[in-house]
Amino acid sequence: MDKVISVSLGEVALKGLNRGYFENKLLKQIRSATREFGSPNIYKEQGKMYIEAEENYFEQIINRLKKVFGIVYISPCIRVEKDMGNIEKASMVALKEALEKKNIRTFKVKTNRVDKDFPIKSPDMSSKIGGVLLKSIEGIKVDVHNPQVYLYIDIKDKCYIYTERYKAQGGLPIGTNGKGLLLLSGGIDSPVAGFMMAKRGVRLSAVHFHSYPFTSERAEEKVKELGNILARYSGDIPLYTVNIIDIQKEIHEKCPENQMTILTRRFMMRIAEKIAQRQDINALITGESLGQVASQTIEGIGVTNSSVDIPILRPLIGFDKVDIIDIAKEIETYETSILPYEDCCTVFLPKHPLTRPKLEDIEESEKKLDVDYLVDEAVSNAVFSTIEP
């Protein structure tokens, strides 16, 4: 009888012929996340992964794995040979440990007989073990409809018995769905957008636009702090920091005031696209939500899209602000996002921004600007760094 940690794969387990690719990606990320805890042994067995580690590291390992995309549940298990004597003893140990942690009086046994050669079918196994537990432990009873605790029995090459299932993030392992460049501001939305796309397997890089000296260095530090939090889920994030104050001055001097926001947005997209192309990145990612601000109307989004050829992913497009805030609180970016440091979008902010721009009018205004030169200058002066968890 020994203890291991089981990792349930969720969506990864539903993949077909390329399932091995997803599992190997996840295995590498689990190894990376747990390396500092004695480099535990990790193995696959019939739909799950198992981690052999020192028990005093279990809590830390579980907390770390909660942030690894591709995992849906994590459970500390008792592992035994699959004979009735061992299974009965391990079941009693597991249930007694659960009783010690909480005031539990009702339980239910759920058996998953993956090894079909095992002679006892799942319902019969659950009934037998339930009977043994009722006889051995005083003061408990079975509740098949609403038990306070489930005792899970997975019968595979070995038998795994557990009562706890810690919820993880789900999604797909990082790097299984290409690379994306996140336009990372200091607000609430963009870190959540990055989180959502990382959860779908996208490996993140980020670009941050600022308007120094009109915006403070503290505003940039705030963005890096948000990146640090996001990197807990996504891994290291290459960050490109770009000063666009010269572009904003040109727009302010030569173009209609109400076009300031949409013109600046188009420049951001062009700059981000050029960085993405140089780094072999497949798409841009923004935190835009339909109708939330002036540039995020359908017309504004259409005009923004036309400035680049690369796909622009907007995972929050149909979210209410309350929904976005809830996710930001859950992933712990919210408190940093609401710190009162201005970003580049507040510089030369028009009193009455255009909400339904027409592409021909915007393109006419851009003829007054040396677009290619301004984009190239901004990209060439970008500052590169790496954000770590």
Side-chain angles (χ1 to χ4, degrees):
M1 183 186 302
D2 54 8
K3 292 192 176 181
V4 296
I5 296 172
S6 77
V7 176
S8 299
L9 309 187
E11 196 172 340
V12 171
L14 302 178
K15 298 298 178 182
L17 295 176
N18 60 351
R19 174 174 168 174
Y21 166 76
F22 286 85
E23 287 184 343
N24 289 333
K25 283 278 190 181
L26 181 57
L27 185 60
K28 288 180 182 178
Q29 287 160 28
I30 292 173
R31 284 198 176 116
S32 177
T34 60
R35 187 176 293 120
E36 67 186 271
F37 307 116
S39 295
N41 181 51
I42 304 165
Y43 65 94
K44 295 185 282 188
E45 187 176 326
Q46 295 169 305
K48 289 187 179 183
M49 293 184 186
Y50 294 91
I51 301 171
E52 297 175 321
E54 294 181 28
E55 192 175 349
N56 59 309
Y57 287 138
F58 274 24
E59 183 177 355
Q60 293 165 285
I61 290 172
I62 289 168
N63 286 334
R64 186 66 59 83
L65 294 181
K66 286 178 181 178
K67 292 181 170 65
V68 175
F69 294 124
I71 299 172
V72 288
Y73 290 109
I74 310 151
S75 298
C77 304
I78 298 174
R79 179 179 62 185
V80 295
E81 298 296 330
K82 51 187 177 186
D83 64 78
M84 286 304 295
N86 283 319
I87 294 171
E88 289 173 5
K89 289 176 185 177
S91 297
M92 281 190 279
V93 170
L95 188 58
K96 284 179 179 178
E97 287 180 355
L99 294 174
E100 289 172 3
K101 292 178 183 178
K102 298 177 183 178
N103 184 25
I104 292 170
R105 289 292 172 264
T106 62
F107 74 99
K108 179 180 179 179
V109 180
K110 291 188 73 172
T111 302
N112 180 24
R113 188 178 63 121
V114 180
D115 178 8
K116 301 305 180 186
D117 291 332
F118 189 77
I120 305 173
K121 293 183 178 180
S122 295
D124 296 333
M125 188 68 175
S126 296
S127 179
K128 284 178 179 292
I129 296 300
V132 169
L133 295 172
L134 285 171
K135 291 177 182 178
S136 305
I137 303 173
E138 293 184 1
I140 61 169
K141 61 181 181 179
V142 172
D143 185 341
V144 297
H145 300 295
N146 190 30
Q148 292 174 295
V149 67
Y150 283 95
L151 180 83
Y152 298 96
I153 303 174
D154 291 348
I155 302 172
K156 302 181 176 182
D157 293 339
K158 302 281 187 180
C159 185
Y160 300 90
I161 298 162
Y162 54 99
T163 60
E164 295 174 300
R165 299 175 77 197
Y166 296 98
K167 196 173 185 304
Q169 294 295 334
L172 295 170
I174 295 292
T176 56
N177 258 330
K179 297 188 286 186
L181 182 63
L182 172 66
L183 277 68
L184 181 61
S185 73
I188 295 170
D189 303 336
S190 60
V192 174
F195 170 85
M196 298 289 286
M197 294 315 303
K199 186 174 181 178
R200 299 310 305 159
V202 175
R203 185 169 296 282
L204 296 180
S205 296
V207 56
H208 171 62
F209 298 99
H210 66 91
S211 304
Y212 184 82
F214 287 76
T215 54
S216 68
E217 292 182 2
R218 188 64 190 88
E220 288 184 60
E221 290 302 314
K222 171 186 172 182
V223 168
K224 290 181 180 178
E225 289 172 18
L226 288 170
N228 291 148
I229 298 168
L230 187 57
R232 297 174 191 168
Y233 300 91
S234 68
D236 293 354
I237 301 174
L239 173 67
Y240 302 86
T241 304
V242 181
N243 192 334
I244 58 169
I245 189 60
D246 290 340
I247 293 172
Q248 290 175 300
K249 286 179 179 178
E250 284 285 297
I251 296 171
H252 181 67
E253 291 173 8
K254 298 178 180 179
C255 301
E257 180 192 17
N258 66 348
Q259 294 180 358
M260 183 74 196
T261 301
I262 195 70
L263 285 168
T264 302
R265 194 72 179 165
R266 280 167 63 89
F267 269 98
M268 289 179 178
M269 293 299 174
R270 292 185 179 107
I271 293 165
E273 180 183 47
K274 184 151 286 192
I275 292 171
Q277 288 170 341
R278 291 182 178 183
Q279 301 303 321
D280 195 27
I281 292 172
N282 312 104
L284 307 182
I285 303 166
T286 79
E288 292 165 292
S289 172
L290 188 62
Q292 189 176 130
V293 297
S295 64
Q296 295 176 22
T297 61
I298 286 180
E299 294 88 345
I301 288 171
V303 170
T304 299
N305 285 351
S306 69
S307 63
V308 294
D309 296 320
I310 195 170
I312 303 172
L313 307 180
R314 297 178 171 91
L316 308 183
I317 194 68
F319 280 50
D320 291 337
K321 191 68 174 185
V322 173
D323 299 328
I324 299 169
I325 289 173
D326 286 344
I327 298 172
K329 289 178 178 178
E330 181 181 335
I331 66 175
E332 300 178 336
T333 56
Y334 178 74
E335 294 299 328
T336 302
S337 291
I338 62 174
L339 293 174
Y341 301 110
E342 71 287 349
D343 63 23
C344 65
C345 295
T346 63
V347 178
F348 304 123
L349 187 67
K351 292 181 180 178
H352 303 288
L354 197 61
T355 58
R356 285 170 171 75
K358 294 181 179 179
L359 181 59
E360 57 269 26
D361 294 338
I362 298 300
E363 289 179 335
E364 189 65 31
S365 293
E366 287 179 341
K367 291 177 182 178
K368 304 171 187 176
L369 308 168
D370 192 341
V371 173
D372 291 340
Y373 171 79
L374 290 169
V375 170
D376 288 341
E377 277 293 293
V379 172
S380 65
N381 291 314
V383 177
F384 175 79
S385 60
T386 300
I387 297 177
E388 299 176 348

